[in-house]
């Protein structure tokens, strides 16, 4: 079936252009990322609108919204999803409400209810008797309360009578009945004149062509053409059977169908109609005195009326009714994207009047969609702390459940292949009762013919190592433990509240300290100096001081947390807690055999053996202990340290420790460090270039250890 050009505009069939706007928007948004535990396999980025220059932002927003309106209404194209568009509108509303400092004339002259123009070639344009306005939108409860407050203020009345109706998600129409007969059906058009869709509207099965006796000489009835849930499902089932692409959105389907030039096709679609408002009214009887009376009249005239209406008096009652409607929305049987809140009394409505675009006596509250669609701009790879590679969807920022989402985890390569996600696709994002939105599918009907299947990269984005995917496993890994991407994540994990809870060090600071080679292991956190933080990390003196205090405090981190904090692949919190209950301290656990470790979890035990098979990981434990991170198992209080009551003398140059570090290590093991060798000396640790002290120790028969031997001694 051939749709006229503007079907595409209604169906929001997006063109594949990466508009300069997207770049500008991305640059002007504040992006903050937080990583979830790697085993959760996910990361999302929240993108908040927090412009530094509200006026500049306002101008940008207005220009962009105008550009989208122009694309949508006049050029039958769009490069933004409905939800992303709504996000822009919402941000504009908020900025406009900040009033004079934003350089605007305030909320009453908002452009956020702009009318657009749905005119389509092939349809005659006919003037409305009374302008067909749009509604201003509220996106939050506080927007709604602010609106109610404004109306209360300007009428000087509290406890007004409000009507709450569902906001039907279709296309607005105005039907004129003259002398009781249907004369014409128009779309809104530009608000002053609309497209004549009478022929198509006449195919609607539930629409009477005449009004009963006693109706006024002329009446313009305002309402919505939509497709109900059952008909939408039926149409899509038919298309599925025929192997045709499915309709993605009921509103686009209703709008596109109404603008079809072939009325026989319209008849097959079974569109519905509902009436909720009035335009012109001429002759007797008088206009209904209230919105409630209008609904009753619509019913009395056998026209399809709004069934789900609630009355309310206070802002609390209105908000309660809106929330309840939001809960019922999926069970209503028709598509709704919000609630419309109207003043009941017709005289009061008249008193409040309207701006050029919207009445001042009504507002549309938009529900947060459970599912939104947006554009998949890229798929990037995130390197996890144990090397797991997680593909991440980079999306056009879109609002869902009160948060703007620009990124979402795609979990693994398999999940991409299974859904055949392609760059440039329109994807569905869902947040049904979950905290993390998930990409749940692709809108194939909007796929560009040039889109190609995604090829999973072969190399690690952080260290360029060849990625590994074992036979039969869904997970792809970077095998390079010293990959800087992994290291950054390990340190992020270590400082997180789950492990050492070190506040004041985030991903950006970690990245610069890793890049500056100040952090090569988590133990290096305990070696950080104030000047390094200030120079390499660009941290202020005060913050550096506070951070160092936090790091110092984290030396008390408990044994299970520390084991978990080492980011050993396959070692989670449960295994860590079990070992922490059985081993005296970190060194004892690190030295344990496979048999000792594998009482409960042999896979995790193998992982630990493999981990400590690498000398640098043993050194890590030594370093942590030496630097004062030496938690003891509470089940073994008073356990004697490795060097309890031992007096040690250090001589020569040590390579892996400074003198101070070695001293700390010895003292942590219960030892005491003396400056000179005497008969009271139990042990001498001799580094490179050791001279007279070593000779003296040898002459007194005192045990002498080199650096490595000391490390070993401290472990047992
Ligand atoms: S009253 C003066 N009531 O939502 C404006 N509109 O976004 C009168 N809509 O233009 C509109 N359900 O197309 C009203 N119960 C309802 C509605 C409703 C859906 C549409 C209508 C309107 C748009 C505003």
């Amino acid at each position: 079936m051939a749709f006229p050009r503007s079907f595409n505009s209604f169906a929001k069939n997006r063109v594949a252009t990466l508009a300069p706007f997207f770049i500008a928007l991305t640059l002007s948004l504040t992006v903050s990322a937080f990583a979830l535990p790697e085993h959760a396999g996910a990361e999302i980025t929240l993108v908040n609108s927090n412009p530094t220059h509200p006026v500049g932002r306002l101008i940008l927003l207005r220009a962009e919204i105008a550009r989208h309106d122009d694309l949508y209404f006049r050029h039958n194209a769009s490069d933004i999803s409905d939800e992303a568009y709504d996000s822009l509108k919402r941000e504009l509303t908020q900025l406009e409400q900040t009033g004079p400092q934003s350089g605007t004339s305030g909320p009453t002259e908002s452009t956020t209810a702009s009318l657009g123009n749905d005119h389509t070639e092939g349809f005659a344009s006919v003037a409305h008797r009374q302008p067909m306005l749009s509604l201003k939108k509220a996106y939050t409860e506080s927007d709604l309360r602010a609106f109610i407050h404004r109306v209360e203020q300007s009428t000087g009345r509290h406890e007004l009578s409000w009507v709450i109706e569902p906001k039907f998600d279709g296309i607005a129409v105005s039907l004129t009945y003259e002398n009781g007969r249907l004369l014409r059906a128009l779309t809104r058009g530009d608000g002053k004149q609309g497209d004549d869709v009478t022929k198509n509207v006449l195919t609607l099965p539930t629409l009477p062509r005449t009004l009963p006796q006693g109706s006024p000489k002329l009446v313009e009835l305002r309402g919505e053409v939509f497709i109900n849930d059952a008909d939408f499902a039926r149409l899509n089932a038919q298309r599925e059977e025929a192997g045709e692409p499915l309709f993605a959105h009921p509103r686009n389907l209703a709008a596109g169908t109404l603008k079809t030039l072939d009325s026989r096709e319209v008849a097959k679609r079974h569109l519905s109609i509902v009436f909720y408002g009035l335009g012109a009214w001429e002759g007797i009887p008088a206009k209904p005195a209230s919105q409630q009376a209008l609904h009753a009249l619509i019913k009395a005239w056998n026209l399809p009326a709004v069934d789900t209406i609630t009355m309310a008096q206070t802002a609390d009652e209105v908000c309660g009714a809106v929330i309840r409607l939001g809960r019922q929305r999926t069970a209503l049987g028709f598509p709704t994207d919000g609630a419309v809140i109207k003043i009941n009394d017709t005289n009061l409505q008249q008193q409040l009047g309207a701006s050029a675009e919207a009445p001042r006596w009504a507002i549309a509250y938009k529900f947060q969609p459970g599912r939104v669609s947006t554009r998949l701009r890229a798929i990037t790879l995130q390197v996890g702390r144990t090397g797991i590679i997680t593909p991440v969807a980079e999306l056009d920022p879109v609002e869902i459940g009160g948060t703007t989402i620009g990124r979402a985890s795609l979990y693994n390569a398999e999940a991409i292949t299974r859904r055949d996600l392609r760059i440039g696709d329109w994807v569905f994002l869902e947040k049904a009762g979950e905290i993390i939105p998930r990409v749940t599918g692709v809108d194939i009907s909007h796929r560009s013919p040039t889109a190609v299947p995604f090829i999973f990269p072969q190399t690690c984005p952080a260290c360029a190592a060849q990625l590994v995917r074992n036979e039969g496993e869904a997970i792809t890994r970077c095998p390079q433990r010293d990959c800087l991407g992994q290291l950054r994540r390990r340190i992020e994990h270590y400082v997180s509240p789950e492990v050492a809870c070190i506040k004041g060090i985030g991903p950006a600071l970690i990245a610069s300290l890793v890049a500056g080679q100040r952090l090569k292991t988590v133990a290096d956190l305990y070696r950080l100096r104030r000047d390094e933080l200030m120079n390499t990390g660009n941290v202020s003196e005060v913050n550096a001081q506070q951070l160092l205090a936090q790091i110092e405090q984290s030396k008390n981190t408990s044994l299970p947390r520390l084991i978990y904090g080492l980011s050993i692949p396959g070692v989670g919190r449960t295994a860590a807690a079990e070992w922490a209950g059985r081993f005296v301290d970190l060194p004892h656990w690190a030295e344990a055999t496979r048999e000792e470790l594998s009482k409960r979890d042999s896979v995790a035990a193998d992982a630990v053996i493999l981990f400590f098979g690498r000398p640098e990981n043993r050194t890590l434990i030594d370093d942590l202990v030496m630097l004062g991170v030496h938690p003891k198992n509470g089940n073994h209080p008073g356990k004697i340290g490795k060097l309890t009551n031992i007096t040690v003398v250090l001589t020569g140059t040590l390579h892996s420790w400074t003198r101070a570090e070695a001293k700390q290590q010895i003292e942590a093991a219960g030892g005491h460090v003396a400056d000179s060798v005497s008969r009271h000396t139990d042990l001498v640790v001799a580094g490179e270039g050791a001279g007279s002290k070593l000779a003296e120790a040898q002459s007194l028969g005192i045990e002498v250890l080199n650096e490595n031997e000391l490390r070993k001694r401290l472990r047992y």
Side-chain angles (χ1 to χ4, degrees):
M1 181 181 75
F3 288 109
R5 236 165 75 75
S6 77
F7 171 73
N8 284 348
S9 95
F10 279 101
K12 297 211 167 180
N13 214 348
R14 315 294 175 182
V15 289
T17 52
L18 176 58
F21 153 69
F22 179 70
I23 299 159
L25 177 67
T26 310
L27 288 176
S28 62
L29 294 173
T30 308
V31 179
S32 68
F34 63 87
L36 294 159
E38 192 181 25
H39 52 82
E43 174 186 278
I44 57 169
T45 302
L46 306 180
V47 185
N48 300 313
S49 311
N50 183 16
T52 335
H53 304 292
V55 177
R57 181 74 184 141
L58 196 104
I59 292 165
L60 177 73
L61 282 170
R62 283 202 173 139
E64 275 316 308
I65 288 167
R67 193 180 70 78
H68 288 304
D69 285 345
D70 191 54
L71 263 181
Y72 181 67
F73 288 115
R74 297 192 192 286
H75 298 284
N76 312 311
S78 174
D79 57 6
I80 189 170
S81 72
D82 293 356
E83 293 77 19
Y85 177 83
D86 276 350
S87 288
L88 295 181
K89 289 272 233 174
R90 175 187 174 163
E91 192 186 345
L92 179 61
T93 309
Q94 277 164 357
L95 267 183
E96 282 175 338
Q97 281 173 355
T98 60
Q101 76 269 35
S102 66
T104 74
S105 22
T108 47
E109 287 176 36
S110 162
T111 59
T112 51
S114 67
L115 291 167
N117 189 349
D118 66 36
H119 174 62
T120 305
E121 276 167 44
F123 287 88
S125 233
V126 180
H128 299 294
R129 295 220 173 200
Q130 270 195 16
M132 228 179 135
L133 301 181
S134 184
L135 288 171
K136 289 212 351 183
K137 315 261 185 313
Y139 294 94
T140 60
E141 190 176 322
S142 71
D143 289 348
L144 181 55
R145 284 182 185 273
F147 163 76
I148 295 169
H149 185 69
R150 273 204 303 277
V151 174
E152 287 175 345
Q153 295 286 99
S154 57
T155 55
R157 286 172 55 173
H158 294 272
E159 310 235 321
L160 290 158
S161 175
W162 294 99
V163 183
I164 297 100
E165 302 168 8
K167 183 175 181 306
F168 292 84
D169 201 8
I171 173 169
V173 285
S174 175
L175 270 63
T176 307
Y177 284 85
E178 198 173 29
N179 299 321
R181 296 183 63 81
L182 177 64
L183 176 69
R184 192 180 295 121
L186 301 177
T187 62
R188 179 163 47 218
D190 64 359
K192 294 191 182 80
Q193 49 183 38
D195 281 2
D196 189 333
V197 287
T198 316
K199 241 173 112 183
N200 289 346
V201 164
L202 285 171
T203 70
L204 268 50
T206 55
L207 181 71
R209 292 168 185 220
T210 55
L211 298 183
Q213 287 274 317
S215 58
K217 186 173 174 300
L218 183 138
V219 59
E220 273 181 337
L221 283 167
R222 303 280 156 84
E224 199 89 355
V225 168
F226 62 96
I227 183 152
N228 68 35
D229 294 350
D231 284 314
F232 186 65
R234 177 186 54 82
L235 280 177
N236 266 345
Q238 283 169 2
R239 287 177 83 84
E240 194 158 21
E241 198 141 299
E244 290 166 348
L246 303 189
F247 293 116
H249 200 296
R251 173 182 10 102
N252 298 340
L253 173 60
T257 304
L258 197 65
K259 289 296 188 89
T260 300
L261 291 168
D262 184 348
S263 313
R264 284 167 308 183
E265 287 297 330
V266 183
K268 289 185 195 160
R269 295 279 167 86
H270 286 209
L271 295 182
S272 299
I273 189 165
V274 67
F275 294 96
Y276 47 61
L278 277 183
W281 178 288
E282 291 170 15
I284 43 169
K287 248 181 163 178
S290 68
Q291 182 69 14
Q292 249 182 327
L294 171 66
H295 286 304
L297 189 64
I298 290 167
K299 258 192 202 135
W301 286 349
N302 293 320
L303 295 173
V306 184
D307 282 330
T308 1
I309 293 168
T310 315
M311 302 301 295
Q313 288 191 303
T314 63
D316 284 347
E317 285 173 10
V318 170
C319 291
V322 167
I323 290 166
R324 278 194 298 281
L325 190 61
R327 287 201 198 110
Q328 296 166 7
R329 62 188 283 209
T330 50
L332 294 173
F334 53 82
T336 167
D337 60 339
V340 182
I341 298 97
K342 301 172 178 174
I343 283 280
N344 189 32
D345 188 300
T346 312
N347 285 335
L348 258 190
Q349 289 179 3
Q350 256 158 16
Q351 190 186 314
L352 284 158
S355 72
E357 289 132 0
R360 294 197 185 89
W361 46 267
I363 197 162
Y365 174 89
K366 294 273 281 187
F367 294 138
Q368 295 296 342
R371 181 171 99 153
V372 300
S373 66
T374 189
R375 198 80 182 274
L376 177 64
R377 291 291 177 190
I379 295 176
T380 53
L381 300 190
Q382 179 196 304
V383 188
R385 64 195 170 92
T386 63
I388 292 176
I389 299 288
T390 307
V392 177
E394 306 288 344
L395 305 160
D396 273 359
V398 66
E399 187 166 323
I400 182 163
T403 342
T404 304
I405 300 299
R407 306 178 78 209
S409 171
L410 294 172
Y411 300 97
N412 53 48
E414 180 54 31
I416 299 176
T417 323
R418 203 172 46 240
R419 292 188 224 129
D420 186 21
L421 294 185
R422 302 184 184 194
I423 309 297
D425 273 348
W426 284 87
V427 293
F428 298 117
L429 205 60
E430 280 185 36
K431 197 182 172 187
E434 295 165 36
I435 300 162
I436 308 162
R438 296 190 311 129
V439 173
T440 52
V442 183
D443 182 355
I444 300 285
S445 66
H446 287 165
R447 171 168 284 167
S448 150
T450 56
V452 289
F454 180 71
I455 297 169
F456 205 87
Q458 303 280 303
T459 53
C460 171
C463 71
Q466 195 73 20
L467 297 177
V468 177
R469 187 166 160 198
N470 294 332
E471 193 67 29
E473 268 189 17
I475 291 171
T476 308
R477 285 179 195 275
C478 163
Q480 213 68 49
R481 176 81 180 173
D482 42 18
C483 162
L484 292 189
Q486 288 186 44
L487 174 61
R488 286 196 297 268
R489 294 288 178 185
R490 282 202 292 277
I491 295 171
E492 285 171 20
H493 173 65
Y494 186 85
V495 303
S496 75
E498 289 180 294
V499 182
C501 196
I502 301 173
K503 297 192 184 91
I505 181 164
L509 179 55
I510 291 171
S512 55
L513 292 169
V514 165
Q517 301 204 319
R518 292 291 170 271
L519 290 179
K520 291 182 185 152
T521 69
V522 291
D524 286 342
L525 284 164
Y526 300 95
R527 294 187 167 112
L528 283 174
R529 294 193 315 264
R530 199 177 51 170
D531 60 309
E532 286 174 340
L533 284 171
M534 290 166 65
N535 299 335
T536 316
N538 216 6
V539 176
S540 74
E541 190 169 358
V542 175
N543 288 349
Q545 205 75 46
Q546 282 171 352
L547 177 55
L548 288 176
Q550 286 272 327
I551 292 174
E552 186 60 29
Q553 211 181 345
S554 77
K555 289 181 177 171
N556 297 325
T557 303
S558 69
L559 191 53
R561 279 170 172 249
L562 263 179
I563 295 176
Y564 176 53
L566 293 175
S567 294
I568 301 173
V571 172
R573 256 180 294 221
T574 315
E578 196 265 319
W579 289 322
R582 289 198 288 118
F583 293 94
V584 179
D585 55 16
L586 215 46
H588 279 83
W589 165 73
E591 289 298 329
T593 62
R594 177 178 278 110
E595 289 65 41
E596 287 169 333
L597 287 166
S598 65
K599 274 201 172 159
R600 297 247 324 248
D601 186 342
S602 62
V603 176
D606 285 346
V608 173
I609 296 297
L610 197 69
F611 184 75
F612 287 116
R614 300 181 63 148
E616 66 268 29
N617 291 332
R618 289 177 176 264
T619 308
L620 171 64
I621 301 298
D622 293 344
D623 285 0
L624 282 170
V625 171
M626 179 267 296
L627 291 161
V629 187
H630 192 18
K632 299 281 191 322
N633 177 347
N635 297 336
H636 295 260
K639 182 85 186 176
I640 290 169
K642 294 294 150 218
L643 298 177
T644 300
N645 297 330
I646 301 280
T647 299
V648 184
V649 171
L650 299 167
T651 180
T653 310
L654 304 178
H655 286 296
S656 55
W657 294 338
T658 63
R659 268 297 164 89
E661 288 170 349
K663 184 166 185 273
Q664 226 176 331
Q665 168 86 342
I666 291 161
E667 287 172 351
H672 164 75
V673 176
D675 287 335
S676 55
V677 177
S678 71
R679 279 184 293 111
H680 303 294
T681 308
D682 301 300
L683 193 65
V684 169
V685 176
E688 200 184 328
S692 61
K693 285 182 189 170
L694 173 59
E696 204 173 345
Q698 283 164 340
S699 72
L700 289 169
I702 296 168
E703 188 182 7
V704 178
L705 299 180
N706 66 24
E707 205 174 333
N708 283 342
E709 287 165 335
L710 173 66
R711 283 181 180 279
K712 210 164 176 196
R713 176 71 60 90
L714 288 168
R715 283 203 290 268
Y716 291 97

